Amino acid sequence: MSELTSLTTSEMRAKLLSGEISSMELVSAHFDRIEETSDLNSFITLVKDQALKNAESADIIIKEKGSNSGLFTGIPVAIKDQLVTKGIETTCGSKMLKGFIPPYDCTAVKKLKDAGAIIVGKTNQDEFAMGSSNEYSAFGPVKNPWDNSRVPGGSSGGSAAAVASGQSPIALGTDTGGSIRQPAGLCGIYGMKPTYGRVSRYGAVAFASSLDQIGPFARSVKDLALTLQTISGLDSNDATSVKDKVPEFVKELESWESKDLKGIRFGIPKDLMSGGLEDSVSNSFNEVISRLVKLGAEIVEISLPHASSSLAAYYITAPAEAASNLARFDGIRYGHRSSSYHSLQELYEKSRAEGFGKEVKRRIMIGSFVLSSGYYDAYYKKAQQIRTLVINDYKAAFMNSCDVVLTPVSPTVAFKLGEKTSASPLTMYLADIFTVPINLAGLPGISIPTSLSPEKLPIGMQCVGPLFSESLLLGVASVFEREFKFPVTQRTTGRIN
Amino acid sequence: MKKLSLSDNDVKHVAKLSAIEITEEEVPTLKEQLNSILDYVQTLSEIPTRGVEPTFHIHPVSNVFRDDVHQASYKSEEIAKIAPDFKDNFFRVPQIIKSNS
C-alpha cells in the first residue's frame, strides 16, 4: 500500500470516489510513511488520533455525497507551524510559543478544512520563518529527503520535506523572501508564492507583513493549482487581501494540455545572475534554456538593474517589520514567560531573551536599529525607495520585453547541514538572491523542479510573472512538468538516507 | 552616508530597544554579527534615490472598512488556557506603580 504516498491528490480523489481505497487507509498509509521517515524531523506536531477520526468521518461523507463532497475530502495535508490551527499546538518553530494552542484557524487552513482536507500535523520550520535552511528551528533541523546530510532549505523546510518524502501529498507554507520557492527547489517539488494579497494572511503569524504570503507545495502542477484555488480569495480578516475574482486556476490549466511554449517570451536577467552559480545549477539552467527554445519559447536578455540590491533592501525591510510584529511576544497574553523577574520591563526582557533563538534576536535588533531615531531615513526609507526601483524594473521588463522572468531558484543545490550556520549570518542571506526581489515587488513566483545534479540533488527553476499572473505561471510550469519529467515521486517510497 | 559601526554600548542600547536581555558575554559576537549585516545593507547608500517615492505597500489600499456589526469574541476560558498568568478575567503582571505606604 506504500504507493498511496506517491499519488497526487487528484489521483487520491479518484480512488476515494470509486471506493478503491478509503480515507482511513490513505491517512494511515501516510502516518506509516511519517513514522518510517521520522529521521527527517519534518514535523513539530503530529495529530494522528484526530486525523484518523476525521478520516472515518470523511469516509462517511464520501459515501453520502460522492463527487459533491469537497475536493480534498479525506485527503491528508501538512501545515507549516507558522499558520495557526484551532486546537492544534502552533509554535512557529520557537520556544516562545511552545504549548500555544490557538483558539482559531488561519483562513487558508480553514478553507482547506472546509474542502474536506485532513491535517496530519504541523511542519518544522526556521523560527518565525527567519532562515533559509531550517536549521534555525527550536525543534532541530529538518533533513533533505534526497540526502540526509543536507538541508531541505527554508524557512518552510518541513513542508517541503514532507511533500517530497511522501509524508503528505500537499502542504502549506509561507514565503517572505523565498521560504516556499527555495525549499521546494532544494527538495525537488513544486511550490508557489502567489501575488501579494491573493491569499489571506489571517492566521499566518506575522513576520514581515508587507512581504509575507501563504502558498502551496505539491508534487504536481495540477495539485498546486487545486490548492491555490482553494486557499485564495478576499477575506474580511485581512485588509490587504485583494477583491479581484479568483480565476479558475484548474480549468485554465487544462487549456495548456495541448500547448507548448510558442510565443512565450522568457526574460533572463543577466545582471542578477552575474553573481555566480554553482556549476551544476548553471549547466542545468543552460540546458533548460535550450529546451525552451525547442518548445517554441523566445529567450530574451533583460535588465533588472536594481534586483541585485533587493537583498540589502530586504534585510532592512524584513527585520524592521519583524521587530514591530514580534513585539507582541511579551510574555503576558500568550507564549513563554520567564520564571524570574522583578519588574514588568524585566518580565519582557527575560521572557524574550529566553523565548527567542539567536537569528530571531539578531533580526529584531537590526530592525529596532534601522527604525530608531536618526536612522529611519538612511535605512528604512531608503530600502522602500529601492523597492520602488525594483518594482519599476519588473514593470518595464514585463511591459517591453518578456512574459516571464526565468532564473534558477537558488544559486546552489541543497547545502550541507551546518555549512552556513557556522559562518556569518550573511552567508545564509545570500542563498535568497533570486527569490527575494519577487517579495519586494509583490509578484507571483513558481518553483519548478527540472533536473538532478551529478550528485543526485534536485535543481529547480523559478518563473516569475506580472501581478496576478498565477494562471500563466501554472501553465508554463505544466509544460516544464511534461517536458522535463522530473522524478518527483522518487523519494516518496522506500528508504531515505 | 558615512559608514556606521555599532559600539558595545550601541549593541546594548539596541537590545534595550528590542526588550531583549543580553549578557556582557553576548555583546562581542552580537556586535560583530550586527555590524556585518549593517555593512552589507549600507551598500544601498551608493544607489541614487533622490526624488524616488518609497513603496511601503504593493497595492494602494487604505482604510478598508467593514460593516460595524458586533461579533462574538473569544471566551475568557479560552484566553485563560493560553495566558501565562490569568486570574479573575485579567492578565496578571508585576506591580507597575509603586504604592506610597
Side-chain angles (χ1 to χ4, degrees):
Chain A
M1 274 323 243
S2 62
E3 309 79 52
L4 288 181
T5 59
S6 305
L7 302 176
T8 64
T9 68
S10 350
E11 291 164 343
M12 289 175 186
R13 172 123 176 116
K15 286 183 193 291
L16 286 167
L17 290 181
S18 72
E20 189 187 330
I21 57 166
S22 68
S23 170
M24 200 62 157
E25 286 169 279
L26 185 64
V27 173
S28 302
H30 282 84
F31 276 103
D32 290 347
R33 182 65 180 160
I34 290 169
E35 206 165 299
E36 182 180 59
T37 53
S38 60
D39 283 353
L40 294 174
N41 197 28
S42 35
F43 285 91
I44 293 175
T45 304
L46 287 167
V47 285
K48 187 172 179 179
D49 292 349
Q50 196 180 317
L52 292 175
K53 210 176 283 173
N54 288 337
E56 212 177 331
S57 317
D59 282 327
I60 297 169
I61 292 170
I62 292 167
K63 263 201 197 97
E64 281 172 359
K65 294 193 180 164
S67 58
N68 289 324
S69 59
L71 270 182
F72 288 104
T73 304
I75 293 173
V77 301
I79 307 290
K80 186 181 186 181
D81 215 20
Q82 192 79 9
L83 307 181
V84 300
T85 40
K86 189 174 182 173
I88 304 175
E89 185 173 346
T90 298
T91 71
C92 297
S94 180
K95 216 177 126 187
M96 180 59 88
L97 283 177
K98 194 159 178 13
F100 172 65
I101 298 181
Y104 69 102
D105 265 325
C106 164
T107 299
V109 171
K110 181 157 190 311
K111 286 182 171 217
L112 271 181
K113 277 164 73 171
D114 288 348
I118 295 177
I119 297 175
V120 293
K122 302 298 292 291
T123 56
N124 203 344
Q125 57 167 96
D126 286 295
E127 185 176 1
F128 289 110
M130 299 177 191
S132 312
S133 73
N134 220 300
E135 292 166 290
Y136 297 138
S137 164
F139 301 88
V142 175
K143 291 160 188 167
N144 191 312
W146 292 82
D147 178 348
N148 270 359
S149 68
R150 291 173 191 268
V151 304
S155 67
S156 316
S159 286
V163 172
S165 65
Q167 296 175 333
S168 177
I170 55 168
L172 293 187
T174 61
D175 190 317
T176 305
S179 284
I180 291 174
R181 289 158 289 153
Q182 187 250 21
L186 300 189
C187 289
I189 56 170
Y190 299 86
M192 181 180 245
K193 181 202 98 72
T195 305
Y196 185 85
R198 174 67 88 192
V199 179
S200 164
R201 290 178 297 110
Y202 182 66
V205 176
F207 159 17
S209 310
S210 78
L211 306 167
D212 296 341
Q213 191 63 190
I214 297 172
F217 288 95
R219 291 191 301 263
S220 78
V221 177
K222 188 177 177 192
D223 273 4
L224 208 60
L226 280 165
T227 316
L228 181 65
Q229 176 115 45
T230 307
I231 64 174
S232 293
L234 180 68
D235 176 11
S236 58
N237 285 323
D238 174 6
T240 64
S241 61
V242 295
K243 315 199 248 307
D244 307 38
K245 195 171 172 288
V246 179
E248 298 209 36
F249 295 123
V250 183
K251 213 181 218 170
E252 290 180 16
L253 187 60
E254 281 166 14
S255 72
W256 284 81
E257 278 167 19
S258 52
K259 272 196 234 174
D260 57 13
L261 297 173
K262 205 172 181 68
I264 297 189
R265 299 164 303 165
F266 287 81
I268 314 296
K270 279 280 148 76
D271 32 14
L272 186 60
M273 296 187 40
S274 60
L277 298 175
E278 207 167 73
D279 282 351
S280 58
V281 177
S282 166
N283 293 340
S284 175
F285 185 66
N286 292 331
E287 207 175 293
V288 166
I289 288 179
S290 47
R291 292 277 287 278
L292 294 186
V293 172
K294 279 186 199 137
L295 291 164
E298 200 182 313
I299 306 293
V300 288
E301 202 168 301
I302 60 165
S303 174
L304 301 171
H306 300 94
S308 55
S309 307
S310 293
L311 206 56
Y314 176 83
Y315 279 100
I316 292 172
T317 308
E321 295 185 13
S324 165
N325 276 323
L326 271 64
R328 75 192 58 193
F329 299 105
D330 55 6
I332 292 180
R333 292 155 302 157
Y334 42 76
H336 175 76
R337 179 186 286 199
S338 174
S339 56
S340 73
Y341 50 84
H342 301 288
S343 66
L344 187 63
Q345 191 63 29
E346 208 183 2
L347 183 161
Y348 295 149
E349 291 179 5
K350 281 192 189 292
S351 301
R352 289 163 65 80
E354 293 163 9
F356 291 139
K358 286 200 166 82
E359 176 66 11
V360 172
K361 287 182 193 172
R362 279 195 289 268
R363 296 216 196 175
I364 291 175
M365 289 173 71
I366 288 287
S368 302
F369 173 74
V370 300
L371 291 176
S372 65
S373 173
Y375 297 106
Y376 177 86
D377 280 358
Y379 291 94
Y380 192 70
K381 190 177 165 206
K382 182 86 182 180
Q384 307 320 306
Q385 289 176 309
I386 303 290
R387 192 173 188 172
T388 304
L389 297 173
V390 173
I391 292 170
N392 292 344
D393 282 358
Y394 278 98
K395 263 191 194 150
F398 289 131
M399 196 182 296
N400 306 324
S401 340
C402 66
D403 303 299
V404 173
V405 175
L406 178 76
T407 63
V409 179
S410 309
T412 67
V413 293
F415 39 92
K416 292 267 187 192
L417 286 154
E419 186 181 320
K420 292 191 197 283
T421 43
S422 51
S424 148
L426 264 183
T427 321
M428 188 78 81
Y429 296 177
L430 298 172
D432 303 335
I433 181 73
F434 298 133
T435 51
V436 151
I438 286 81
N439 296 76
L440 284 183
L443 303 170
I446 194 167
S447 184
I448 310 163
T450 49
S451 60
L452 288 171
S453 71
E455 65 266 59
K456 300 275 175 268
L457 293 168
I459 295 173
M461 296 300 144
Q462 173 181 245
C463 289
V464 175
L467 293 171
F468 304 110
S469 66
E470 287 89 351
S471 268
L472 169 68
L473 297 181
L474 290 163
V476 166
S478 71
V479 178
F480 278 46
E481 182 178 39
R482 203 165 63 214
E483 291 298 325
F484 290 97
K485 295 186 174 62
F486 182 85
V488 78
T489 57
Q490 195 169 305
R491 313 304 288 168
T492 55
T493 55
R495 266 176 64 91
I496 282 184
N497 46 38
Chain B
M1 193 172 73
K2 79 173 195 304
K3 201 164 159 254
L4 176 138
S5 185
L6 301 180
S7 67
D8 284 10
N9 276 337
D10 293 335
V11 171
K12 289 177 198 169
H13 175 64
V14 171
K16 200 80 192 165
L17 288 177
S18 309
I20 294 172
E21 185 183 73
I22 57 169
T23 61
E24 282 295 335
E25 294 76 63
E26 286 177 280
V27 173
T29 311
L30 269 171
K31 186 173 74 173
E32 189 196 319
Q33 292 174 336
L34 298 183
N35 278 329
S36 79
I37 298 167
L38 287 176
D39 271 357
Y40 178 68
V41 301
Q42 279 178 85
T43 55
L44 289 188
S45 65
E46 291 153 23
I47 300 166
T49 50
R50 189 182 295 269
V52 176
E53 280 298 312
T55 301
F56 296 101
H57 216 273
I58 294 304
H59 306 304
V61 287
S62 59
N63 294 347
V64 178
F65 294 109
R66 65 167 172 81
D67 292 337
D68 187 17
V69 286
H70 71 268
Q71 293 170 1
S73 187
Y74 299 114
K75 293 197 179 85
S76 61
E77 302 94 83
E78 286 182 273
I79 301 303
K81 269 191 267 177
I82 54 176
D85 193 356
F86 192 81
K87 202 180 169 195
D88 301 333
N89 271 347
F90 290 101
F91 296 103
R92 275 158 52 105
V93 295
Q95 189 174 10
I96 298 167
I97 302 166
K98 281 209 172 71
S99 63
N100 265 334
S101 54

